[in-house]
């Protein structure tokens, strides 16, 4: 069978339907509804956005310095932590960071699970699903680095 580029098949429509069902189940999840509400509240709160932007700018500056091979001083890390703590004291900004982490974790689990299907040609086992969850949990628990609101400086 010859297929023209851009031409869809019944199989493509089936995949699209399944992906739409997955997307809808994510949107219907009560916990994710809270995550999206946290994001919406953040987007409406100028103070929270300013605090987050300040923390993010400080973190990016430190990250660039570290990536260029320069060592961070204890004072720089302390200053960053001070800015981050100030931002996290704002309940809207803190909830936004938590929402970002939740979305990132879900995204990683879904991506890793789908990758396992392509790698193994089968549905991942319970152990493989559990390892996807552990992978994202371990990354969040890593303590030997500076947390940059979702990014880490090692």
């Amino acid at each position: 069978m010859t297929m023209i580029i851009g031409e869809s098949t019944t199989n493509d429509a089936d995949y699209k339907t399944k992906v739409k069902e997955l997307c809808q189940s994510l949107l219907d999840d009560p916990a994710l509804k809270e995550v999206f509400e946290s994001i919406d509240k953040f987007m409406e709160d100028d103070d929270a956005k300013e605090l987050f932007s300040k923390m993010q700018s400080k973190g990016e500056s430190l990250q660039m310095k570290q990536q260029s091979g320069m060592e961070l001083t204890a004072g720089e890390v302390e200053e960053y932590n001070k800015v981050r703590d100030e931002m996290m004291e704002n309940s809207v900004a803190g909830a936004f960071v938590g929402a970002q982490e939740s979305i990132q974790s879900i995204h990683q689990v879904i991506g890793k699970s789908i990758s396992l299907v392509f790698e193994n040609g089968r549905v991942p086992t319970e152990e493989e699903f559990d390892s996807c969850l552990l992978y994202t949990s371990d990354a969040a628990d890593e303590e030997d680095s500076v947390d940059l609101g979702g990014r880490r400086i090692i």
Side-chain angles (χ1 to χ4, degrees), residues 56-66 72 76 153:
Q56 193 172 36
S57 294
K58 189 69 152 167
E60 287 173 356
S61 169
L62 294 178
Q63 191 172 38
M64 285 174 42
K65 181 177 178 179
Q66 191 177 40
L72 303 180
E76 289 172 321
I153 295 178

Side-chain angles (χ1 to χ4, degrees), residues 59-149:
E60 287 173 356
S61 169
L62 294 178
Q63 191 172 38
M64 285 174 42
K65 181 177 178 179
Q66 191 177 40
Q67 287 175 345
S68 69
M70 298 173 71
E71 290 206 23
L72 303 180
T73 67
E76 289 172 321
V77 172
E78 184 178 325
E79 175 66 23
Y80 171 79
N81 286 332
K82 181 179 160 189
V83 169
R84 187 176 194 285
D85 290 345
E86 180 184 352
M87 187 265 315
M88 291 301 285
E89 287 174 8
N90 179 293
S91 62
V92 174
F96 175 71
V97 170
Q100 281 187 312
E101 291 169 354
S102 294
I103 289 173
Q104 183 179 21
S105 177
I106 292 166
H107 187 267
Q108 288 174 342
V109 168
I110 291 171
K112 181 68 174 162
S113 299
I114 290 172
S115 292
L116 286 171
V117 168
F118 289 116
E119 290 171 15
N120 301 323
R122 60 174 168 71
V123 173
T125 64
E126 283 302 315
E127 293 80 22
E128 289 168 330
F129 275 116
D130 290 344
S131 75
C132 291
L133 294 172
L134 286 173
Y135 168 76
T136 58
S137 174
D138 288 348
D141 291 341
E142 196 174 276
E143 293 295 332
D144 59 347
S145 58
V146 177
D147 186 347
L148 295 176

